[in-house]
Amino acid sequence: MIANLDTLSPDQLRDAVRTLMADVASKSAEIAFKQATIDKLAHEMAVLKRLKFAATSEAFNSEQKSLIEETIDTDLAALALEIEQRAPSKDSGDKQQPKRVALPADLRAGPGCLNTQRPEISGLAAV
């Protein structure tokens, strides 16, 4: 992307900001579209579940009921799979895990070192 912002001229900075704003706008539109699709599929799943567990399903004979349940189960499984595929992934590759770095040698405390700078904090204050 942009190596060093301090070395860019004002016009270059404006261009960089415009580019970044366009990227953000396109990502926001993409996220809104995906969320609308997920909401639509979730609603469709809710309707199918309502049909599956509704009291009116008891009015069907056993063969009709099993066919309807089988069809609804297949539709629910397909919708669940589609929602999983369209949902934003939880693992983003551009996120970096913070790593602990060892303290420099001049800041390390020796074994058994007590805090002598502020004894009132360490609980070893002379009474």
Side-chain angles (χ1 to χ4, degrees):
M1 177 126 189
I2 301 170
N4 190 356
L5 294 176
D6 296 332
T7 61
L8 296 178
S9 70
D11 289 335
Q12 290 173 325
L13 284 173
R14 285 186 194 98
D15 291 340
V17 169
R18 284 187 193 106
T19 304
L20 291 174
M21 288 175 67
D23 288 347
V24 168
S26 68
K27 295 284 185 190
S28 295
E30 182 181 342
I31 288 171
F33 174 75
K34 286 182 178 183
Q35 188 60 47
T37 304
I38 289 170
D39 292 342
K40 180 184 83 165
L41 292 172
H43 175 71
E44 190 174 341
M45 281 183 69
V47 169
L48 288 171
K49 284 181 181 180
R50 214 174 294 128
L51 284 173
K52 179 178 180 179
F53 298 112
T56 57
S57 64
E58 296 172 4
F60 299 120
N61 67 32
S62 62
E63 185 178 323
Q64 288 175 327
K65 189 175 179 181
S66 67
L67 287 174
I68 288 173
E69 285 179 357
E70 182 180 317
T71 304
I72 290 174
D73 288 339
T74 305
D75 289 346
L76 285 173
L79 284 172
L81 180 64
E82 189 172 346
I83 286 176
E84 282 180 25
Q85 290 172 347
R86 291 183 184 249
S89 62
K90 298 293 181 196
D91 54 21
S92 59
D94 49 351
K95 249 187 180 179
Q96 296 179 354
Q97 291 287 17
K99 298 202 177 9
R100 291 188 178 193
V101 179
L103 284 174
D106 59 330
L107 294 178
R108 289 191 198 134
C113 180
L114 297 176
N115 185 358
T116 57
Q117 297 292 329
R118 298 187 63 193
E120 68 277 1
I121 293 176
S122 66
L124 300 174
V127 200

